[in-house]
Amino acid sequence: MMEHIRTPKVENVRLIDRTAPRKAMVGTLYLSATHTIFVENNPETRRETWVLHSMVASVERPPTTPSGSHLVVHTKNFQVVQLLIPQERDAMDVQASLARLSRPEKYSELYCLSINPNANKEEREESWSFLDLQADYRRMGVPNNLWVSTPANSEYRVCDTYPSELFVPKSATPPVIVGSSKFRSRGRLPVLTYFHQDTLAAICRCSQPLSGFSARSQEDEQMLEAIMKSNPGSDYIYVVDTRPKLNAMANRAAGKGYENEDHYANIKLQFIGIENIHVMRNSQQKISDVGELKTPSMGDFLWGLESSGWLKHIKAVLDAGVFIAKAVAEEGISVVVHCSDGWDRTAQACSVASVLLEPYYRTMKGLMLLIERDWVSFGHKFSHRYNHLEGDPKEVSPVIDQFLECVWQLSEQFPCAFEFNERFLVQLHRHVYSCQYGNFLGNSQKERRDMGLRERTHSLWPQLWKDRAQYANPLYRADHTQTQGMLRPNTTPYCFKMWKGMYNRMEKSSPPRQTPTDLLTAVREETQQLEEELTNHQEVAPGGTAQPGTKQEDCNPDKSGSN
Amino acid sequence: MEFAELIKTPRVDGVVLRRPFLPTVEGTLCLTGHHLILSSRQDNTEELWLLHANIDAIEKRFVGSLGTIIVKCKDLRVIQLDIPGMEECLNIASSIEVLSTLDSVSLMYPLFYRPMFQVIEDGWKSFLPEDAFKDLESMTEEWRLSDVNKDYSVCSSYPPLVAVPKDVDDDTLRKAAAFRHGGRFPVLSYYHKKNGMVMMRSGQPLTGTNGRRCKEDEKLINATLRAGKRGYIIDTRTVSVAQQAKARGGGFESEANYPQWRRIHKAIERSSILQESLIKLVEACNDQSHSMDRWLSKLEASNWQTHVKEILTSACLAAQCIDREGASVLVHGTEGTDSTLQVTSLAQIILDPACRTIQGFQALVEREWLQAGHPFQQRCSQSAYSNSKPRCEAPVFLLFLDCVWQILRQFPCSFQFSQHFLVLLFEHTYASQFGTFMGNSASERSKLNLSQKTVSLWSWVNRPQEVERLSNPLYEANCLVIWPSVAPQSLLLWEGVFLRWKRSSRCLDEAYDEMVHIIQYNKELQNKVNNLRRQLAQLETEEPLLQTP
């Protein structure tokens, strides 16, 4: 990458605070193979600002002014860095370098693949065994006498965008599996993603059927029948098509479409109306513009919020999750979810439903596993959607952004229900784009295997886990009533807010605001130290002096269920 | 008793009550002079005890002989009563209508209310201007307390005692009063201890179209300036509104006559527009359509958040002039009883940490709203549901509370009180058993002899158990000026008031309890550890004695 750096160092650069343009820091700008680094001249503070090249979304250069050339760097996580460079020549060089550095053409140019894989070999190998997806299926009680593992997709024979290990109804025979796969777009046949042990209902996912106007497949019909029969208490299933009905109908002309209720016995078809990736891409552009408005009036802001459509889309995704979760937990009915290819809206709907249904997915490790399952293993096209390599801009879309935002909106409604805080979600979002770790490279399990990512890169998950103290929600308590069971969010429009922590972050100069999360975290840390000190005192001073500490357990917030 | 004539049917059995978030109750409905009561008569607990004064509007519906009355309250709650029997239903409805719109002050509930709690400290005496002035005297000698208005003859909406510059005599005050709307001559609102700058407030100057001037008025406000210093006049109206006021005898301070002052115009809307805005906002919150576009466009069209932003911006400006520019400020709009008070009171929240305590906030409300002559009775006689044409109603004080909530949300550790206190004040301004918010001015309250005949809200609030309920567990005294963000992205809809009856707050309440629990547990442990440390220290001093023979 070094060859793309036209100028590695520029002096007397100003880093401009957009909220207070007069308060600029003067310093030196460095371009490295991986980062743009600004170091303040002030010898007392020497503040550093680092921007990873892979996080750069765009670099604009407004017309040169007498004081120099401005460069406005927008990052993929909605931060803006504004620089003033004295010489136009330097500014043009930096812009050109960054334009190239931020758009790698090959995977090998990415940060995580540029490091020596053997440097920390053991640590690297360990990092990939941090999460065990199969253990999560076992935690759900799968396999069991209803759902079994099938070898059908070993070596990705029936579907190259699916994981090699799939769970299907026990009664689904190999011909049914293969036949159903042939009748589904890109071979993405209906398979299990979540099993609800209390009701024995399941969430299955797939892509749209190749039904056109009249085609049918006996095997596919048998597959859905088998799914229904895998839930002993029910006599029908829901098929949730997460697309707007009109879109689904339009697909029939291309030989695709949706299930004909006359051909499939005992299904209830439900359209949800989540828009496609192109609509979402434009919508996010608009909401990020709203977040960046400099001094908008309240009318500008609310109008911008409305016309971006963003919150409407977030609501649609959450509504899809709520529908599925209710079907599974309250009605005890299994659900088959699909959209077109079954890797965007389907991933959103299934993972939101899992978060609603299962307290475990509201913990840090649980959310990691959920992303690993519904997104990574089931072939969500990370590298295409998040523009890891210079590619087709029409493939880019903030699909997982919307999932993470749904989780954030939920955490606002259920402040005690999530083990993690907002920072965790923001950090996850960042790493989906950053390519610092190998987890999200490529577009399917097969691609990642072929690239040998486990051998060449590190996994993000243990790193996040190591830093878990800073991602903890101080209000979370595993035994709190809010933590238990299914979440039933209110999805009335007024319950949705703009995610300020994502789209309107505080600029550098503004004083740090008081946040209850930080304060409570500090209090809890102090509490822990006090507890330790109490224990020590009791050991040091036996007999009478230990008395004041003996009631300790009565008021320990982690042990009592007093609320 | 007059009430008896108004109550056509005092009692109906078999009435079904439906309320937000609570199970349906069947019981006996009773009407008294001041209350609508519904009791299931099980263990004698009343399920509903609603002040007629809290009822904003009612609707009647009939299905066969079953009547339904929808009661819409001023605190924005909506409840439903299913009443068997058409005649009973009609009687109840018409009685409620009459009882909830009684105009006669002498029939108002606070005059009949007898407290069930022991009054430890009489709230009517808690915040006397004389006491407030003692604090000021300890900081500066440049001000005096004038009793020029002792019989309310100079200004009917001012209290008998006001703080004015020491060098200005009462005669000058009288002349300045004649030049100001409603006789509201410039008086001291706030003294900034840090730099000795002040904030004053008044009514608009009565310059009229031919540019009248008043030397005494000029002298009065110039007396507050230090030598060579300029001050700022914040006119809460836009330039064009202020210009138009000239035609009606009002106006603003011209540069020529007030050369030491710089005038800045803001755009806080007048009260009738605010009332319309409240009605639209509440209507938006009640929209059942579930459409995001519709909600956001209705929220925008209500303009409520725009008002919040404008008021906060103006308050920040006033605070900035005082704290950052080191200049004194005069604030006024037209009458000086609405937008003026929003600005002066919020600026104090920003500047003065004392106003962020429970006691200090009461003192602020007492000083800047009650004593300052905000016409509570007129402004709060109807709320968002009323069908009758608004006369003087306007949510001026509610907007102030909303702005305080916005600052509280941005600085969650800087206030001694939680939003419960703000919600409580909102409720009591619209309907209350206490006399605090009755009348429109100190003079009216004094004529009604409210301090003798009614109980003060502050007497209730300042009991230890209530103080505890209203306290903010996160509070850590912060002696700094706090600058709120007024960016629209930072301002939220006040759920605690506007969505209070629409969405359950259970999960948020649980989070609040959890927070309290974490902090309390920490405090308990701190105490224990401190005890132990003390005992250890004691042991260590004793031990050497034991060891030496």
Side-chain angles (χ1 to χ4, degrees):
Chain A
M1 292 300 276
M2 296 304 282
E3 71 270 21
H4 304 304
I5 302 172
R6 296 196 189 178
T7 175
K9 180 180 172 188
V10 187
E11 286 177 339
N12 288 318
V13 173
R14 282 163 188 275
L15 180 68
I16 295 167
D17 186 324
R18 283 159 35 90
T19 52
R22 273 172 292 176
K23 272 194 224 153
M25 284 193 280
V26 183
T28 306
L29 188 73
Y30 299 91
L31 289 189
S32 81
T34 54
H35 289 86
T36 305
I37 307 153
F38 175 88
V39 184
E40 190 189 11
N41 283 348
N42 185 341
E44 276 173 30
T45 44
R46 302 265 318 162
R47 273 207 284 182
E48 294 179 10
T49 306
W50 291 59
V51 181
L52 194 66
H53 294 326
S54 51
M55 292 307 290
V56 172
S58 70
V59 186
E60 288 160 33
R61 191 165 53 81
T64 302
T65 65
S67 50
S69 277
H70 285 269
L71 282 187
V72 185
V73 180
H74 287 258
T75 70
K76 292 172 181 171
N77 54 344
F78 313 105
Q79 287 177 318
V80 185
V81 178
Q82 194 173 341
L83 300 163
L84 179 61
I85 296 176
Q87 299 296 323
E88 189 180 21
R89 184 75 248 154
D90 288 333
M92 287 167 74
D93 281 346
V94 171
Q95 185 189 25
S97 308
L98 274 180
R100 178 61 188 83
L101 291 165
S102 63
R103 287 197 205 95
E105 287 162 358
K106 311 188 285 287
Y107 282 115
S108 60
E109 291 175 22
L110 290 170
Y111 185 41
C112 63
L113 285 165
S114 66
I115 47 173
N116 178 1
N118 294 321
N120 298 305
K121 190 159 176 280
E122 262 176 49
E123 192 189 318
R124 190 198 72 226
E125 282 167 357
E126 242 180 67
S127 80
W128 287 107
S129 56
F130 180 74
L131 289 188
D132 182 354
L133 212 46
Q134 295 312 312
D136 190 48
Y137 282 107
R138 287 197 295 278
R139 194 191 51 80
M140 289 186 230
V142 172
N144 53 32
N145 59 354
L146 302 167
W147 294 90
V148 294
S149 169
T150 168
N153 203 36
S154 65
E155 289 308 308
Y156 309 101
R157 279 191 310 245
V158 296
C159 176
D160 62 357
T161 58
Y162 263 1
S164 54
E165 194 146 356
L166 299 174
F167 292 94
V168 291
K170 196 174 190 178
S171 58
T173 59
V176 166
I177 292 171
V178 173
S180 168
S181 137
K182 286 192 174 134
F183 191 65
R184 292 278 166 179
S185 191
R186 298 177 196 268
R188 293 172 68 93
L189 70 151
V191 296
L192 179 98
T193 169
Y194 176 76
F195 180 72
H196 195 60
Q197 279 172 293
D198 297 348
T199 60
L200 306 184
I203 303 176
C204 297
R205 58 183 291 172
C206 56
S207 60
Q208 63 186 338
L210 303 175
S211 49
F213 291 103
S214 57
R216 56 189 292 185
S217 152
Q218 217 182 6
E219 291 87 352
D220 194 59
E221 289 160 23
Q222 285 168 352
M223 187 64 161
L224 263 56
E225 178 86 15
I227 289 172
M228 187 198 83
K229 287 192 172 143
S230 288
N231 181 2
S234 72
D235 46 15
Y236 65 94
I237 57 171
Y238 285 110
V239 174
V240 169
D241 189 328
T242 55
R243 300 168 293 184
K245 189 167 185 188
L246 218 59
N247 299 20
M249 285 167 74
N251 265 294
R252 287 163 66 182
K256 301 166 189 172
Y258 53 92
E259 291 77 0
N260 183 336
E261 280 174 288
D262 297 336
H263 298 161
Y264 293 83
N266 309 315
I267 67 163
K268 288 191 181 175
L269 197 57
Q270 175 78 32
F271 292 94
I272 298 275
I274 303 174
E275 296 290 349
N276 66 31
I277 58 169
H278 313 293
V279 174
M280 300 309 193
R281 178 174 58 243
N282 295 333
S283 173
Q284 193 188 41
Q285 181 58 51
K286 287 185 191 157
I287 182 108
S288 89
D289 291 348
V290 170
E292 280 178 29
L293 288 172
K294 270 183 193 154
T295 47
S297 71
M298 187 57 79
D300 294 340
F301 170 69
L302 289 174
W303 187 84
L305 203 57
E306 182 196 338
S307 67
S308 78
W310 183 254
L311 291 180
K312 176 172 67 187
H313 301 315
I314 296 295
K315 174 172 155 58
V317 174
L318 193 53
D319 278 333
V322 169
F323 179 88
I324 298 166
K326 280 191 172 160
V328 167
E330 291 175 1
E331 297 178 62
I333 301 295
S334 293
V335 185
V336 172
V337 187
H338 71 74
C339 46
S340 300
D341 291 317
W343 51 43
D344 293 317
R345 289 171 272 204
T346 299
Q348 291 176 329
C350 290
S351 54
V352 169
S354 284
V355 168
L356 295 172
L357 284 164
E358 177 78 50
Y360 182 62
Y361 296 125
R362 297 173 222 141
T363 64
M364 285 188 221
K365 240 184 180 167
L367 189 71
M368 293 176 192
L369 272 163
L370 182 61
I371 291 174
E372 198 60 48
R373 184 187 78 211
D374 273 345
W375 297 81
V376 178
S377 87
F378 274 107
H380 176 62
K381 303 201 293 173
F382 279 94
S383 276
H384 286 165
R385 294 292 177 258
Y386 311 112
N387 213 8
H388 291 160
L389 299 182
E390 180 70 356
D392 182 359
K394 287 208 169 66
E395 281 284 318
V396 178
S397 189
V399 186
I400 203 168
D401 299 38
Q402 293 183 317
F403 164 66
L404 294 172
E405 177 157 343
C406 283
V407 176
W408 177 79
Q409 300 278 0
L410 287 170
S411 73
E412 286 286 293
Q413 280 197 39
F414 303 94
C416 305
F418 292 84
E419 189 192 23
F420 44 82
N421 59 28
E422 177 181 23
R423 230 175 270 147
F424 186 65
L425 298 171
V426 169
Q427 196 65 358
L428 278 174
H429 175 266
R430 179 189 141 82
H431 282 298
V432 163
Y433 289 86
S434 80
C435 302
Q436 276 173 293
Y437 297 88
N439 303 64
F440 306 123
L441 256 53
N443 297 301
S444 66
Q445 200 180 67
K446 180 170 182 297
E447 271 188 45
R448 278 185 293 277
R449 188 199 61 174
D450 294 349
M451 276 193 271
L453 286 178
R454 285 180 178 236
E455 290 73 45
R456 298 166 65 196
T457 69
H458 286 253
S459 165
L460 166 67
W461 305 127
Q463 191 56 44
L464 288 179
W465 185 248
K466 206 177 89 199
D467 298 335
R468 63 187 176 280
Q470 70 181 96
Y471 301 128
N473 170 14
L475 294 175
Y476 174 79
R477 196 150 47 78
D479 59 358
H480 195 284
T481 48
Q482 229 175 79
T483 317
Q484 319 301 313
M486 181 186 158
L487 297 183
R488 290 177 179 78
N490 185 338
T491 63
T492 315
Y494 50 61
C495 296
F496 294 80
K497 287 181 271 199
M498 180 167 109
W499 190 2
K500 211 168 166 294
M502 181 62 72
Y503 298 109
N504 181 238
R505 293 190 209 186
M506 290 299 168
E507 309 270 337
K508 273 221 162 69
S509 79
S510 50
R513 299 271 165 179
Q514 303 164 321
T515 75
T517 304
D518 290 341
L519 186 107
L520 289 173
T521 302
V523 168
R524 287 196 70 156
E525 272 168 26
E526 194 199 39
T527 301
Q528 210 177 353
Q529 283 165 11
L530 289 170
E531 279 172 346
E532 281 164 21
E533 194 179 335
L534 265 182
T535 324
N536 289 341
H537 280 321
Q538 283 160 5
E539 283 165 10
V540 171
T545 44
Q547 280 301 322
T550 50
K551 277 190 186 163
Q552 187 186 341
E553 279 192 13
D554 297 347
C555 44
N556 187 326
D558 292 324
K559 287 178 185 161
S560 75
S562 59
N563 277 11
Chain B
M1 169 96 194
E2 293 157 76
F3 291 123
E5 297 156 24
L6 305 173
I7 301 168
K8 293 180 185 164
T9 301
R11 235 187 87 171
V12 189
D13 289 322
V15 174
V16 176
L17 165 70
R18 298 171 209 276
R19 289 176 289 185
F21 318 126
L22 291 168
T24 304
V25 187
E26 190 182 325
T28 303
L29 179 73
C30 298
L31 288 188
T32 72
H34 292 108
H35 286 97
L36 182 158
I37 301 159
L38 189 124
S39 165
S40 67
R41 306 219 160 211
Q42 281 156 9
D43 63 39
N44 265 342
T45 50
E46 270 76 20
E47 272 76 19
L48 177 73
W49 187 283
L50 184 73
L51 263 182
H52 295 314
N54 192 1
I55 296 172
D56 207 24
I58 60 167
E59 275 169 32
K60 297 168 290 229
R61 274 186 226 146
F62 291 96
V63 178
S65 69
L66 180 76
T68 292
I69 302 179
I70 313 273
V71 180
K72 299 181 173 182
C73 302
K74 290 175 185 166
D75 60 16
L76 308 181
R77 176 173 29 160
V78 177
I79 59 176
Q80 184 179 329
L81 296 165
D82 296 340
I83 300 171
M86 188 180 282
E87 197 190 330
E88 284 84 353
C89 185
L90 284 171
N91 284 347
I92 295 282
S94 71
S95 301
I96 296 177
E97 257 166 3
V98 176
L99 289 165
S100 62
T101 51
L102 287 178
D103 268 338
S104 166
V105 174
S106 62
L107 295 179
M108 289 176 81
Y109 183 55
L111 296 164
F112 296 81
Y113 170 73
R114 290 293 160 261
M116 300 291 281
F117 62 94
Q118 199 198 342
V119 175
I120 303 162
E121 185 195 327
D122 183 3
W124 287 112
K125 299 198 180 88
S126 296
F127 306 102
L128 299 174
E130 302 90 292
D131 296 338
F133 189 70
K134 274 181 203 136
D135 293 342
L136 181 67
E137 266 182 319
S138 69
M139 297 185 273
T140 171
E141 292 179 341
E142 291 164 10
W143 295 81
R144 71 184 181 92
L145 213 47
S146 163
D147 64 355
V148 66
N149 198 40
K150 60 177 178 289
D151 49 5
Y152 306 103
S153 58
V154 178
C155 172
S156 61
S157 61
Y158 270 175
L161 292 172
V162 289
V164 295
K166 192 160 221 165
D167 303 334
V168 176
D169 60 27
D170 284 356
D171 205 39
T172 308
L173 297 178
R174 278 188 203 96
K175 284 179 180 144
F179 182 65
R180 291 279 172 175
H181 192 118
R184 294 176 70 90
F185 57 91
V187 296
L188 181 77
S189 155
Y190 170 67
Y191 179 86
H192 197 44
K193 198 174 166 184
K194 192 166 122 191
N195 60 10
M197 293 301 126
V198 296
M199 180 160 58
M200 289 172 296
R201 50 177 160 74
S202 67
Q204 64 176 344
L206 303 175
T207 59
T209 39
N210 46 13
R212 260 184 69 203
R213 67 187 286 187
C214 170
K215 290 280 186 196
E216 289 78 7
D217 186 72
E218 293 160 25
K219 185 185 164 202
L220 169 55
I221 71 167
N222 288 339
T224 66
L225 293 177
R226 304 253 164 95
K229 279 274 198 178
R230 267 159 62 103
Y232 288 88
I233 294 174
I234 296 175
D235 191 324
T236 61
R237 307 162 293 181
T238 60
V239 184
S240 66
V241 173
Q243 284 282 4
Q244 286 158 21
K246 284 185 174 175
R248 290 185 299 274
F252 51 84
E253 297 82 354
S254 67
E255 284 81 2
N257 297 340
Y258 297 83
Q260 288 167 277
W261 295 84
R262 218 190 119 199
R263 208 178 61 247
I264 303 173
H265 288 273
K266 299 304 290 178
I268 304 182
E269 290 288 356
R270 53 179 205 280
S271 40
S272 57
I273 289 179
L274 302 182
Q275 181 69 9
E276 211 176 290
S277 175
L278 173 69
I279 292 168
K280 282 189 188 162
L281 174 67
V282 171
E283 211 259 310
C285 294
N286 287 331
D287 188 285
Q288 301 289 328
S289 74
H290 259 260
S291 149
M292 185 67 75
D293 288 351
R294 205 175 145 101
W295 157 246
L296 288 172
S297 89
K298 281 186 152 191
L299 178 63
E300 189 210 336
S302 80
N303 269 329
W304 183 265
Q305 296 293 88
T306 302
H307 302 316
V308 170
K309 176 171 155 58
E310 198 55 47
I311 294 163
L312 267 177
T313 308
S314 307
C316 285
L317 174 70
Q320 231 164 356
C321 290
I322 294 169
D323 189 71
R324 296 251 170 110
E325 303 283 320
S328 286
V329 172
L330 168 67
V331 184
H332 70 72
T334 304
E335 291 95 345
T337 53
D338 295 291
S339 58
T340 305
L341 305 181
Q342 290 172 330
V343 174
T344 57
S345 54
L346 285 167
Q348 292 178 56
I349 297 270
I350 293 168
L351 293 170
D352 185 3
C355 295
R356 300 174 218 140
T357 64
I358 294 178
Q359 279 274 335
F361 192 71
Q362 293 169 40
L364 180 76
V365 170
E366 186 70 39
R367 212 169 57 231
E368 289 300 302
W369 291 89
L370 290 159
Q371 297 289 327
H374 176 66
F376 276 101
Q377 194 157 316
Q378 288 179 356
R379 296 287 180 257
C380 302
S381 71
Q382 289 173 14
S383 172
Y385 294 121
S386 174
N387 303 316
S388 48
K389 203 173 177 301
R391 289 156 300 182
C392 308
E393 290 76 6
V396 177
F397 188 70
L398 174 58
L399 269 162
F400 158 69
L401 295 175
D402 193 329
C403 292
V404 176
W405 177 78
Q406 305 284 351
I407 307 177
L408 169 62
R409 211 188 55 79
Q410 292 184 27
F411 296 90
C413 311
S414 295
F415 288 78
Q416 194 191 10
F417 50 86
S418 66
Q419 72 154 336
H420 298 316
F421 191 26
L422 303 173
V423 175
L424 176 126
L425 288 175
F426 159 61
E427 291 173 335
H428 282 275
T429 49
Y430 280 89
S432 179
Q433 65 270 47
F434 303 108
T436 301
F437 294 109
M438 280 176 70
N440 294 302
S441 63
S443 129
E444 283 189 31
R445 279 186 291 275
S446 144
K447 273 176 211 139
L448 292 166
N449 201 10
L450 293 181
S451 63
Q452 298 306 311
K453 290 187 176 164
T454 71
V455 180
S456 161
L457 172 63
W458 312 136
S459 304
W460 163 263
V461 165
N462 288 324
R463 295 167 314 129
Q465 56 271 55
E466 196 62 13
V467 167
E468 197 188 318
R469 191 182 77 85
L470 303 175
S471 290
N472 172 11
L474 292 174
Y475 178 59
E476 277 176 2
N478 169 6
C479 59
L480 300 173
V481 174
I482 51 176
W483 297 108
S485 162
V486 294
Q489 297 96 326
S490 306
L491 304 175
L492 292 180
L493 179 71
W494 189 8
E495 296 172 40
V497 164
F498 299 108
L499 303 180
R500 183 180 177 194
W501 309 105
K502 305 261 84 188
R503 54 181 282 191
S504 159
S505 62
R506 190 179 61 91
C507 291
L508 300 181
D509 295 344
E510 282 171 358
Y512 186 84
D513 292 343
E514 188 63 28
M515 195 166 80
V516 172
H517 189 62
I518 289 171
I519 289 169
Q520 269 175 359
Y521 176 59
N522 176 272
K523 284 189 181 143
E524 277 170 36
L525 276 189
Q526 271 179 5
N527 287 339
K528 277 182 196 164
V529 168
N530 286 341
N531 274 338
L532 269 180
R533 282 179 190 157
R534 225 172 294 131
Q535 289 180 19
L536 263 177
Q538 231 168 20
L539 276 178
E540 275 163 19
T541 50
E542 282 165 16
E543 262 167 40
L545 287 175
L546 292 174
Q547 277 163 6
T548 44

